[in-house]
Amino acid sequence: MNAPIQHERSDTYVRDIMREVDDGVGAGWVPARIFGNERVYKEELRRIFARCWLYLGHVSEIPNPGDFMLRKMGEDDYIVTRDKDGKIHAMLNACRHRGVHVCRVDRGNAEQFRCLYHGWTFANNGDLVGGPLWKNAYGDMSKSENGLLHVAQLDTHQGLIFATLDAKAPSLKEYLGGMAWYLDLIFGLNEHGVEFMGPPQRCVIPGDWKSAADNSCGDDYHLPTLHKSIAEVNAFPVSFVENMKGYHIQAAPGHSLSFSSAMTEDDPGPRFFGSPQNLVDSFNTSQISADQLHAARMSRVIVGNVFPNFTFIIVPTTDDPNQPPVAGISLKVWQPKGPDRMEIWNQFPVYKNMTQEQKERQYAVTLASFSVGGLFEMDDSEPWSMIHQTGGSVSAEVLDLKLNYRMGLPDTGIAQRLTDFPGPGVVYAPRYEEGVQRNLYKFYADMMSAPLDQWPETSFPSDEL
Amino acid sequence: MQAQVRIAAGEAQQTTARRVRSSAPLFCEVQDWLFDEADLLDSMRDREWCDTMLSKDIVYRMPVREVVGRGISAGFIEGVYHLNETHGTINMKVARNETGFAWAEDPATRTRHFVSNLRVFEHEDGTLEAKSALLLVQTRRSDTHANIIASERHDRLRREGETLRLFKRDVYVDLTALEVHNLAVFF
């Protein structure tokens, strides 16, 4: 793997790059040196991953008191637990005595976590219980001040667990803003909700995490080229041109998504992403509005990214031309692992009221499409493995390489702003448009530039809506 | 969650299979088969591999592994996979490589399948079981860094006509998080 070249940096180095992003992104220009850049990356860990709400998992993964799972916030390990009262906690995996990991397995059920170094022992709600020969060693030293460190805020939305290390961060509801409407449209299609087909599939691939997040905001234009092989082997039931119909949505600052959608009843399907008919029959408005249900019904594909690194994708696909396409659902976290690497955490939700056979079929199809061994995703990692090399190059700096994100600007292409779409956010159609990515980088620059005790706007000014 | 941690690779299985010693001609036949297979896979002849070495009802899987406490299990999870393939899906990947647009493997990566630690068993129904260690070394473009994936393969072979064909393969990887560009090659 090519290590990014280290340059001497002034204190204002990253700030200057972010000003350049902020100044240029509205007109569709993003400096390449935000990718594969060690200095930028270190600031991202502090200014984005230690402040934004990050996805940790789903409540169904820790259903019982004592259940726990190790998850990541940025590069750091957090123990996500359900305590004896059923409350969910997320705590830094570090003993308060010497900083040793108190949990060294990926998941399980435990009332306590005991540090292997000196034996300090913590309850699954983080409270320090004690240690060997405690009275001799510590007398009456406060235990309550020496518990595991909790995240600053933890909340759930549709069973999805999010946390932030920033006590001053806006609430999860406020942070998600308009994106909640679209998450509900996926996870609230019926009253049963979803469960996951196992713990995450984890793979470390070369690439800057932003390249994957960028793609997941709605880079539909890459399909006919990068994924041309998919059409050749009949894995995807929608023609690439037809697939450009639909909507690009900036749901809230930083959060973007894209629907491939039938625009009228006469347009071809599949409807509801290709979900099986008996599942479709259970979809209703008990959790969501008629507008949300209608948007889901017309949709063939949905892909989106909750800033910074949580992606959802639903695509009708098949792993075998003799089998009909079905909706494959994948949730991904693009975990940062350096300016040149990311760790993909891939999970597979299924609706609880599907038959076991349908759950396994959907899982198999999704795995065969949207995992590193999948027909779609195996090609995605190829461009992502090169962008950070370009961004981290001396040439990108000396020649001032700016990447082109201009598609869909008023003078560029056919996409038009829609004002009658029922969902929240800034909406464009058709999908020849990169405002979804400009929205990612605008908020990215805002977070990277904001003082650590201040938050940028997490909703669009009303005059833009 | 349905998935539960179960005991898998490297642990004693209850079987009535008979050990085939390395001095036996049958052992040599299985070893030759594995080496021939490695040669096909390492020389980009995946179509020939798919058509001549795989059974139509093949189940080809790479389970996901977790870190678990010693004594609980090896960490493989029943029903949770990196790869879960059939003949149809393998054929689709092979066909994909023939389209001219399979960028993950074009330019093709260079692979070397090192197969060792072979043990062969014969089941009562005449099918064969081969357990081997696989070291897959993969390089790409001009990179000097190789991806190295160590695993234990549990293969099931049976005679179809004159030749042995693979009808089941479980690839038990050492890593819990795979360091790869993708999983576009076969193990």
Side-chain angles (χ1 to χ4, degrees):
Chain A
M1 222 154 297
N2 298 336
I5 295 163
Q6 300 285 338
H7 307 280
E8 283 300 316
R9 301 300 189 196
S10 72
D11 288 337
T12 60
Y13 171 76
V14 174
R15 207 182 316 153
D16 288 348
I17 294 179
M18 292 308 141
R19 189 170 299 127
E20 209 180 303
V21 176
D22 197 46
D23 289 346
V25 70
W29 299 107
V30 173
R33 34 195 229 289
I34 65 170
F35 299 101
N37 186 321
E38 182 80 42
R39 272 292 282 282
V40 169
Y41 176 74
K42 291 289 183 201
E43 288 293 303
E44 288 170 357
L45 289 180
R46 177 65 188 90
R47 295 178 176 276
I48 291 174
F49 291 94
R51 298 193 70 199
C52 291
W53 284 91
L54 305 177
Y55 167 78
L56 297 180
H58 191 260
V59 293
S60 67
E61 295 183 90
I62 45 171
N64 303 309
D67 286 349
F68 70 87
M69 54 189 181
L70 266 190
R71 293 295 142 107
K72 290 206 176 291
M73 297 187 72
E75 291 190 359
D76 306 334
D77 284 341
Y78 279 74
I79 317 170
V80 181
T81 66
R82 190 183 286 275
D83 71 17
K84 62 177 167 40
D85 301 320
K87 188 177 179 200
I88 294 173
H89 304 269
M91 299 159 293
L92 182 65
N93 186 17
C95 180
R96 293 294 303 281
H97 184 216
R98 289 291 185 274
V100 170
H101 297 166
V102 296
C103 176
R104 297 186 305 134
V105 298
D106 287 337
R107 66 185 169 123
N109 186 285
E111 289 180 10
Q112 297 182 337
F113 298 95
R114 185 169 186 269
C115 179
L116 61 90
Y117 197 0
H118 303 89
W120 280 34
T121 301
F122 303 87
N124 59 19
N125 65 2
D127 290 351
L128 175 61
V129 177
L133 306 169
W134 188 263
K135 282 287 174 198
N136 293 350
Y138 298 107
D140 293 328
M141 185 179 78
S142 166
K143 287 181 181 166
S144 63
E145 291 172 7
N146 288 285
L148 294 178
L149 294 179
H150 288 257
V151 296
Q153 300 182 60
L154 183 146
D155 203 352
T156 64
H157 185 85
Q158 291 286 356
L160 305 166
I161 305 167
F162 291 86
T164 170
L165 300 183
D166 187 352
K168 290 187 173 173
S171 69
L172 176 62
K173 189 178 168 60
E174 191 183 330
Y175 179 78
L176 291 175
M179 196 58 151
W181 196 88
Y182 300 98
L183 291 173
D184 294 348
L185 174 159
I186 297 170
F187 297 101
L189 280 169
N190 66 30
E191 62 280 18
H192 303 288
V194 300
E195 62 189 6
F196 284 19
M197 298 296 276
Q201 176 201 16
R202 298 168 54 190
C203 296
V204 178
I205 66 167
D208 185 308
W209 66 271
K210 295 189 291 296
S211 295
D214 168 329
N215 176 286
S216 306
C217 286
D219 190 320
D220 317 301
Y221 185 63
H222 80 287
L223 262 75
T225 306
L226 186 70
H227 298 304
K228 187 173 172 64
S229 69
I230 302 305
E232 302 274 316
V233 298
N234 299 313
F236 183 53
V238 186
S239 82
F240 287 135
V241 173
E242 182 68 22
N243 188 51
M244 293 307 282
K245 288 182 181 171
Y247 310 97
H248 266 192
I249 301 168
Q250 302 168 44
H255 312 316
S256 295
L257 73 154
S258 174
F259 284 101
S260 169
S261 177
M263 306 302 282
T264 70
E265 293 292 343
D266 295 334
D267 280 344
R271 300 285 190 258
F272 283 114
F273 318 105
S275 299
Q277 190 57 46
N278 65 315
L279 178 64
V280 167
D281 291 343
S282 77
F283 292 160
N284 60 48
T285 52
S286 63
Q287 318 288 315
I288 56 176
S289 69
D291 283 338
Q292 285 165 298
L293 189 66
H294 179 72
R297 190 171 78 84
M298 300 300 274
S299 295
R300 302 153 175 160
V301 173
I302 186 170
V303 57
N305 188 65
V306 178
F307 190 88
N309 63 337
F310 174 49
T311 283
F312 52 85
I313 181 164
I314 314 179
V315 176
T317 177
T318 185
D319 57 355
D320 185 333
N322 300 315
Q323 302 259 11
V326 298
I329 310 182
S330 165
L331 299 181
K332 297 172 190 301
V333 189
W334 316 108
Q335 309 282 12
K337 206 174 172 68
D340 56 355
R341 289 200 302 171
M342 68 182 108
E343 183 168 323
I344 304 176
W345 287 50
N346 198 8
Q347 290 192 294
F348 305 89
V350 292
Y351 263 90
K352 285 181 186 168
N353 64 321
M354 297 167 79
T355 67
Q356 187 61 26
E357 188 183 0
Q358 286 175 331
K359 289 174 184 175
E360 286 173 11
R361 177 71 192 136
Q362 178 185 306
Y363 176 37
V365 163
T366 314
L367 191 67
S369 303
F370 293 98
S371 72
V372 289
L375 290 167
F376 277 85
E377 200 169 311
M378 61 170 63
D379 285 328
D380 284 312
S381 58
E382 200 59 29
W384 300 346
S385 74
M386 296 181 272
I387 296 167
H388 70 278
Q389 293 185 30
T390 299
S393 68
V394 169
S395 296
E397 178 164 333
V398 174
L399 300 178
D400 191 22
L401 176 60
K402 287 186 168 55
L403 302 178
N404 184 313
Y405 285 83
R406 290 186 50 78
M407 199 196 303
L409 284 168
D411 58 345
T412 313
I414 64 168
Q416 296 290 325
R417 178 87 185 266
L418 296 187
T419 52
D420 58 349
F421 188 79
V426 177
V427 182
Y428 282 82
R431 305 200 293 166
Y432 297 93
E433 206 266 345
E434 290 172 339
V436 284
Q437 286 127 326
R438 294 192 295 272
N439 180 44
L440 168 75
Y441 291 116
K442 174 70 172 73
F443 189 69
Y444 168 82
D446 287 350
M447 286 302 301
M448 290 288 281
S449 308
L452 288 170
D453 59 352
Q454 289 175 29
W455 265 75
E457 284 298 324
T458 53
S459 57
F460 293 124
S462 55
D463 59 349
E464 283 186 21
L465 289 171
Chain B
M1 180 168 343
Q2 304 81 30
Q4 294 174 344
V5 177
R6 300 267 182 86
I7 290 172
E11 309 199 15
Q13 290 184 350
Q14 296 211 334
T15 173
T16 56
R18 178 182 69 87
R19 177 75 181 268
V20 179
R21 289 287 156 194
S22 59
S23 53
L26 187 56
F27 180 97
C28 297
E29 186 184 1
V30 171
Q31 182 169 264
D32 285 349
W33 190 98
L34 290 170
F35 289 174
D36 289 345
E37 182 195 33
D39 181 50
L40 289 185
L41 293 174
D42 291 341
S43 53
M44 283 177 279
R45 289 149 74 192
D46 47 353
R47 168 56 64 197
E48 192 177 338
W49 170 71
C50 180
D51 290 348
T52 66
M53 303 198 91
L54 305 186
S55 199
K56 291 289 181 197
D57 63 351
I58 186 169
V59 175
Y60 173 108
R61 289 168 165 169
M62 179 187 286
V64 165
R65 186 172 206 165
E66 291 185 297
V67 181
V68 299
R70 189 183 182 96
I72 294 175
S73 78
F76 296 100
I77 312 163
E78 186 82 17
V80 183
Y81 308 105
H82 288 293
L83 296 169
N84 181 12
E85 309 272 350
T86 63
H87 197 275
T89 69
I90 290 171
N91 189 60
M92 205 153 174
K93 287 185 174 173
V94 172
R96 196 190 95 91
N97 282 338
E98 295 163 344
T99 63
F101 309 108
W103 311 121
E105 275 298 313
D106 190 2
T109 61
R110 281 82 57 179
T111 63
R112 195 69 58 202
H113 286 70
F114 293 93
V115 182
S116 70
N117 302 31
L118 176 64
R119 288 169 301 149
V120 178
F121 303 85
E122 186 175 22
H123 285 259
E124 281 179 348
D125 62 0
T127 61
L128 297 165
E129 182 167 358
K131 296 183 176 180
S132 62
L134 175 70
L135 196 63
L136 179 63
V137 180
Q138 184 181 28
T139 50
R140 59 194 303 113
R141 292 185 62 190
S142 299
D143 289 355
T144 50
H145 168 90
N147 279 335
I148 298 174
I149 302 174
S151 65
E152 178 178 327
R153 291 189 307 188
H154 290 191
D155 294 339
R156 296 295 299 275
L157 296 153
R158 70 175 161 234
R159 219 168 284 283
E160 296 181 12
E162 293 297 297
T163 57
L164 292 175
R165 286 189 184 247
L166 183 70
F167 68 92
K168 190 166 194 296
R169 169 164 287 166
D170 292 300
V171 183
Y172 297 103
V173 287
D174 289 356
L175 296 171
T176 59
L178 299 181
E179 183 169 4
V180 291
H181 269 69
N182 54 59
L183 290 175
V185 297
F186 299 102
F187 288 77

